[in-house]
Amino acid sequence: MRKKLILILIVIPVVQMAVLSDVQGFHEKKPVTPYGDYCPRFSKYGKNKAFHTQKQAEEALKDYYSSKGFTVEVVSPVGRFIKAHIKQKDSIIDIIIFDRHTGRIRSIY
């Protein structure tokens, strides 16, 4: 009798947790740019001493995303950061910010 009671006291909460737990929803698509990725033309975060030109940064972005099968449309090339739309077949699939000093790419989409 005591073993049955212990078994019931263990089984009921486990079943309740399995049945009543929150279902986590995930987007069907993963972001194109992993959080905090680096452009291979630049060194790792914080190690790059040079401030790259606008043209160098745009070429680096285009090279990085063309290898993944995407195109880049630079939206605002102002100051240290570049905001760009990452496209696939004329639809925006990611929006990123690129740091011209460190080469760090961050998705803001």
Side-chain angles (χ1 to χ4, degrees):
M1 180 71 172
R2 185 171 174 92
K3 287 183 182 180
K4 261 187 172 177
L5 181 62
I6 292 173
L7 184 61
I8 290 172
L9 290 174
I10 292 173
V11 170
I12 289 176
V14 170
V15 170
Q16 285 178 336
M17 284 189 287
V19 173
L20 300 176
S21 65
D22 291 335
V23 176
Q24 298 294 323
F26 296 100
H27 292 293
E28 292 177 17
K29 298 178 185 177
K30 292 182 179 178
V32 174
T33 308
Y35 182 76
D37 202 5
Y38 299 94
C39 181
R41 288 194 183 185
F42 294 75
S43 64
K44 289 292 184 190
Y45 183 70
K47 292 185 179 180
N48 200 4
K49 302 294 183 201
F51 194 78
H52 297 280
T53 66
Q54 181 70 30
K55 186 177 179 181
Q56 289 173 326
E58 285 182 29
E59 288 175 2
L61 278 175
K62 288 176 183 176
D63 184 48
Y64 177 83
Y65 283 104
S66 68
S67 67
K68 295 182 175 195
F70 304 115
T71 58
V72 176
E73 177 188 342
V74 175
V75 178
S76 68
V78 179
R80 178 177 174 169
F81 298 96
I82 295 174
K83 182 178 178 182
H85 292 166
I86 308 307
K87 294 184 169 187
Q88 183 178 34
K89 296 181 183 175
D90 294 329
S91 64
I92 298 172
I93 55 171
D94 202 358
I95 300 172
I96 59 107
I97 291 181
F98 181 73
D99 186 341
R100 293 191 312 149
H101 184 67
T102 63
R104 189 161 181 118
I105 303 169
R106 290 215 167 168
S107 175
I108 59 170
Y109 188 58

mmCIF file of all heavy atoms in Angstrom, residues 68-92:
data_model
loop_
_atom_site.group_PDB
_atom_site.id
_atom_site.type_symbol
_atom_site.label_atom_id
_atom_site.label_comp_id
_atom_site.label_asym_id
_atom_site.label_seq_id
_atom_site.Cartn_x
_atom_site.Cartn_y
_atom_site.Cartn_z
ATOM 1 N N LYS A 68 26.819 32.553 -48.795
ATOM 2 C CA LYS A 68 25.627 31.898 -48.232
ATOM 3 C C LYS A 68 24.451 31.929 -49.207
ATOM 4 O O LYS A 68 23.380 31.430 -48.896
ATOM 5 C CB LYS A 68 25.213 32.604 -46.935
ATOM 6 C CG LYS A 68 26.227 32.474 -45.825
ATOM 7 C CD LYS A 68 25.719 33.161 -44.580
ATOM 8 C CE LYS A 68 26.679 32.937 -43.424
ATOM 9 N NZ LYS A 68 26.091 33.275 -42.136
ATOM 10 N N GLY A 69 24.645 32.575 -50.364
ATOM 11 C CA GLY A 69 23.600 32.640 -51.376
ATOM 12 C C GLY A 69 22.655 33.821 -51.235
ATOM 13 O O GLY A 69 21.543 33.780 -51.745
ATOM 14 N N PHE A 70 23.087 34.883 -50.562
ATOM 15 C CA PHE A 70 22.250 36.059 -50.345
ATOM 16 C C PHE A 70 22.886 37.293 -50.971
ATOM 17 O O PHE A 70 24.069 37.313 -51.281
ATOM 18 C CB PHE A 70 22.046 36.309 -48.846
ATOM 19 C CG PHE A 70 21.471 35.129 -48.114
ATOM 20 C CD1 PHE A 70 22.208 34.476 -47.140
ATOM 21 C CD2 PHE A 70 20.195 34.664 -48.399
ATOM 22 C CE1 PHE A 70 21.690 33.381 -46.470
ATOM 23 C CE2 PHE A 70 19.666 33.577 -47.732
ATOM 24 C CZ PHE A 70 20.416 32.933 -46.762
ATOM 25 N N THR A 71 22.085 38.341 -51.130
ATOM 26 C CA THR A 71 22.597 39.612 -51.606
ATOM 27 C C THR A 71 22.467 40.652 -50.495
ATOM 28 O O THR A 71 21.675 40.489 -49.575
ATOM 29 C CB THR A 71 21.830 40.094 -52.854
ATOM 30 O OG1 THR A 71 20.448 40.207 -52.538
ATOM 31 C CG2 THR A 71 22.025 39.147 -54.014
ATOM 32 N N VAL A 72 23.253 41.718 -50.612
ATOM 33 C CA VAL A 72 23.293 42.763 -49.593
ATOM 34 C C VAL A 72 22.885 44.093 -50.211
ATOM 35 O O VAL A 72 23.357 44.465 -51.274
ATOM 36 C CB VAL A 72 24.726 42.894 -49.001
ATOM 37 C CG1 VAL A 72 24.796 44.042 -48.021
ATOM 38 C CG2 VAL A 72 25.157 41.597 -48.362
ATOM 39 N N GLU A 73 22.007 44.801 -49.500
ATOM 40 C CA GLU A 73 21.622 46.157 -49.893
ATOM 41 C C GLU A 73 21.927 47.073 -48.715
ATOM 42 O O GLU A 73 21.277 46.990 -47.668
ATOM 43 C CB GLU A 73 20.141 46.229 -50.226
ATOM 44 C CG GLU A 73 19.662 47.614 -50.571
ATOM 45 C CD GLU A 73 18.152 47.700 -50.709
ATOM 46 O OE1 GLU A 73 17.496 46.655 -50.871
ATOM 47 O OE2 GLU A 73 17.634 48.815 -50.632
ATOM 48 N N VAL A 74 22.924 47.920 -48.872
ATOM 49 C CA VAL A 74 23.309 48.839 -47.804
ATOM 50 C C VAL A 74 22.251 49.925 -47.698
ATOM 51 O O VAL A 74 21.909 50.571 -48.675
ATOM 52 C CB VAL A 74 24.710 49.443 -48.063
ATOM 53 C CG1 VAL A 74 25.045 50.485 -47.026
ATOM 54 C CG2 VAL A 74 25.752 48.339 -48.091
ATOM 55 N N VAL A 75 21.735 50.120 -46.484
ATOM 56 C CA VAL A 75 20.654 51.077 -46.261
ATOM 57 C C VAL A 75 21.196 52.392 -45.735
ATOM 58 O O VAL A 75 20.874 53.457 -46.252
ATOM 59 C CB VAL A 75 19.613 50.502 -45.275
ATOM 60 C CG1 VAL A 75 18.519 51.506 -45.003
ATOM 61 C CG2 VAL A 75 19.047 49.210 -45.807
ATOM 62 N N SER A 76 22.000 52.339 -44.689
ATOM 63 C CA SER A 76 22.542 53.587 -44.134
ATOM 64 C C SER A 76 24.017 53.416 -43.798
ATOM 65 O O SER A 76 24.371 52.833 -42.783
ATOM 66 C CB SER A 76 21.751 54.029 -42.906
ATOM 67 O OG SER A 76 21.948 53.146 -41.847
ATOM 68 N N PRO A 77 24.874 53.925 -44.655
ATOM 69 C CA PRO A 77 26.320 53.842 -44.425
ATOM 70 C C PRO A 77 26.836 55.075 -43.691
ATOM 71 O O PRO A 77 27.571 55.870 -44.247
ATOM 72 C CB PRO A 77 26.874 53.765 -45.837
ATOM 73 C CG PRO A 77 25.915 54.567 -46.644
ATOM 74 C CD PRO A 77 24.569 54.380 -45.994
ATOM 75 N N VAL A 78 26.443 55.248 -42.447
ATOM 76 C CA VAL A 78 26.824 56.450 -41.709
ATOM 77 C C VAL A 78 27.724 56.084 -40.536
ATOM 78 O O VAL A 78 27.398 55.204 -39.744
ATOM 79 C CB VAL A 78 25.565 57.188 -41.190
ATOM 80 C CG1 VAL A 78 25.956 58.419 -40.412
ATOM 81 C CG2 VAL A 78 24.653 57.549 -42.342
ATOM 82 N N GLY A 79 28.855 56.767 -40.447
ATOM 83 C CA GLY A 79 29.742 56.588 -39.299
ATOM 84 C C GLY A 79 30.377 55.212 -39.219
ATOM 85 O O GLY A 79 30.685 54.587 -40.228
ATOM 86 N N ARG A 80 30.532 54.741 -38.008
ATOM 87 C CA ARG A 80 31.206 53.477 -37.746
ATOM 88 C C ARG A 80 30.383 52.272 -38.172
ATOM 89 O O ARG A 80 30.916 51.232 -38.527
ATOM 90 C CB ARG A 80 31.514 53.402 -36.247
ATOM 91 C CG ARG A 80 32.157 52.131 -35.818
ATOM 92 C CD ARG A 80 32.486 52.163 -34.347
ATOM 93 N NE ARG A 80 32.987 50.879 -33.906
ATOM 94 C CZ ARG A 80 33.549 50.659 -32.743
ATOM 95 N NH1 ARG A 80 33.686 51.653 -31.885
ATOM 96 N NH2 ARG A 80 33.984 49.476 -32.413
ATOM 97 N N PHE A 81 29.066 52.391 -38.149
ATOM 98 C CA PHE A 81 28.194 51.254 -38.405
ATOM 99 C C PHE A 81 27.507 51.358 -39.754
ATOM 100 O O PHE A 81 27.214 52.444 -40.239
ATOM 101 C CB PHE A 81 27.137 51.137 -37.304
ATOM 102 C CG PHE A 81 27.746 50.895 -35.959
ATOM 103 C CD1 PHE A 81 27.982 51.952 -35.102
ATOM 104 C CD2 PHE A 81 28.093 49.620 -35.555
ATOM 105 C CE1 PHE A 81 28.560 51.742 -33.866
ATOM 106 C CE2 PHE A 81 28.666 49.399 -34.321
ATOM 107 C CZ PHE A 81 28.898 50.461 -33.474
ATOM 108 N N ILE A 82 27.233 50.193 -40.345
ATOM 109 C CA ILE A 82 26.509 50.111 -41.606
ATOM 110 C C ILE A 82 25.262 49.275 -41.349
ATOM 111 O O ILE A 82 25.352 48.172 -40.812
ATOM 112 C CB ILE A 82 27.352 49.426 -42.698
ATOM 113 C CG1 ILE A 82 28.567 50.276 -43.031
ATOM 114 C CG2 ILE A 82 26.522 49.155 -43.939
ATOM 115 C CD1 ILE A 82 29.516 49.599 -43.994
ATOM 116 N N LYS A 83 24.119 49.815 -41.725
ATOM 117 C CA LYS A 83 22.874 49.057 -41.647
ATOM 118 C C LYS A 83 22.593 48.521 -43.041
ATOM 119 O O LYS A 83 22.659 49.266 -44.025
ATOM 120 C CB LYS A 83 21.731 49.943 -41.178
ATOM 121 C CG LYS A 83 20.416 49.216 -41.026
ATOM 122 C CD LYS A 83 19.352 50.168 -40.500
ATOM 123 C CE LYS A 83 18.016 49.482 -40.383
ATOM 124 N NZ LYS A 83 16.968 50.414 -39.928
ATOM 125 N N ALA A 84 22.288 47.226 -43.137
ATOM 126 C CA ALA A 84 22.065 46.617 -44.439
ATOM 127 C C ALA A 84 20.924 45.614 -44.390
ATOM 128 O O ALA A 84 20.678 44.988 -43.356
ATOM 129 C CB ALA A 84 23.338 45.923 -44.917
ATOM 130 N N HIS A 85 20.247 45.486 -45.538
ATOM 131 C CA HIS A 85 19.211 44.471 -45.706
ATOM 132 C C HIS A 85 19.849 43.273 -46.404
ATOM 133 O O HIS A 85 20.533 43.439 -47.418
ATOM 134 C CB HIS A 85 18.062 44.978 -46.552
ATOM 135 C CG HIS A 85 17.262 46.044 -45.886
ATOM 136 N ND1 HIS A 85 16.374 46.823 -46.564
ATOM 137 C CD2 HIS A 85 17.200 46.456 -44.595
ATOM 138 C CE1 HIS A 85 15.798 47.668 -45.731
ATOM 139 N NE2 HIS A 85 16.305 47.477 -44.529
ATOM 140 N N ILE A 86 19.605 42.094 -45.864
ATOM 141 C CA ILE A 86 20.078 40.860 -46.488
ATOM 142 C C ILE A 86 18.882 40.288 -47.234
ATOM 143 O O ILE A 86 17.817 40.090 -46.657
ATOM 144 C CB ILE A 86 20.602 39.864 -45.440
ATOM 145 C CG1 ILE A 86 21.626 40.538 -44.517
ATOM 146 C CG2 ILE A 86 21.188 38.633 -46.110
ATOM 147 C CD1 ILE A 86 22.763 41.242 -45.207
ATOM 148 N N LYS A 87 19.075 40.036 -48.534
ATOM 149 C CA LYS A 87 17.953 39.637 -49.381
ATOM 150 C C LYS A 87 18.185 38.278 -50.028
ATOM 151 O O LYS A 87 19.313 37.874 -50.278
ATOM 152 C CB LYS A 87 17.731 40.670 -50.478
ATOM 153 C CG LYS A 87 17.284 42.013 -49.976
ATOM 154 C CD LYS A 87 17.012 42.920 -51.146
ATOM 155 C CE LYS A 87 16.308 44.178 -50.697
ATOM 156 N NZ LYS A 87 15.892 44.977 -51.851
ATOM 157 N N GLN A 88 17.036 37.658 -50.295
ATOM 158 C CA GLN A 88 17.031 36.432 -51.087
ATOM 159 C C GLN A 88 15.860 36.549 -52.047
ATOM 160 O O GLN A 88 14.701 36.651 -51.610
ATOM 161 C CB GLN A 88 16.876 35.199 -50.196
ATOM 162 C CG GLN A 88 16.942 33.903 -50.950
ATOM 163 C CD GLN A 88 16.844 32.709 -50.028
ATOM 164 O OE1 GLN A 88 16.148 32.749 -49.019
ATOM 165 N NE2 GLN A 88 17.554 31.654 -50.364
ATOM 166 N N LYS A 89 16.148 36.604 -53.318
ATOM 167 C CA LYS A 89 15.124 36.759 -54.348
ATOM 168 C C LYS A 89 14.242 37.986 -54.094
ATOM 169 O O LYS A 89 13.024 37.898 -54.031
ATOM 170 C CB LYS A 89 14.274 35.500 -54.448
ATOM 171 C CG LYS A 89 15.056 34.289 -54.888
ATOM 172 C CD LYS A 89 14.169 33.078 -54.987
ATOM 173 C CE LYS A 89 14.996 31.869 -55.360
ATOM 174 N NZ LYS A 89 14.214 30.644 -55.351
ATOM 175 N N ASP A 90 14.837 39.105 -53.875
ATOM 176 C CA ASP A 90 14.161 40.399 -53.698
ATOM 177 C C ASP A 90 13.301 40.515 -52.444
ATOM 178 O O ASP A 90 12.534 41.460 -52.315
ATOM 179 C CB ASP A 90 13.316 40.756 -54.930
ATOM 180 C CG ASP A 90 14.176 41.003 -56.160
ATOM 181 O OD1 ASP A 90 15.322 41.468 -55.980
ATOM 182 O OD2 ASP A 90 13.706 40.723 -57.272
ATOM 183 N N SER A 91 13.397 39.583 -51.524
ATOM 184 C CA SER A 91 12.677 39.747 -50.252
ATOM 185 C C SER A 91 13.703 39.826 -49.119
ATOM 186 O O SER A 91 14.696 39.092 -49.101
ATOM 187 C CB SER A 91 11.692 38.606 -50.009
ATOM 188 O OG SER A 91 12.367 37.383 -49.882
ATOM 189 N N ILE A 92 13.446 40.734 -48.195
ATOM 190 C CA ILE A 92 14.361 40.933 -47.071
ATOM 191 C C ILE A 92 14.196 39.774 -46.092
ATOM 192 O O ILE A 92 13.096 39.513 -45.607
ATOM 193 C CB ILE A 92 14.080 42.269 -46.362
ATOM 194 C CG1 ILE A 92 14.312 43.428 -47.324
ATOM 195 C CG2 ILE A 92 14.940 42.413 -45.120
ATOM 196 C CD1 ILE A 92 13.878 44.770 -46.790
#
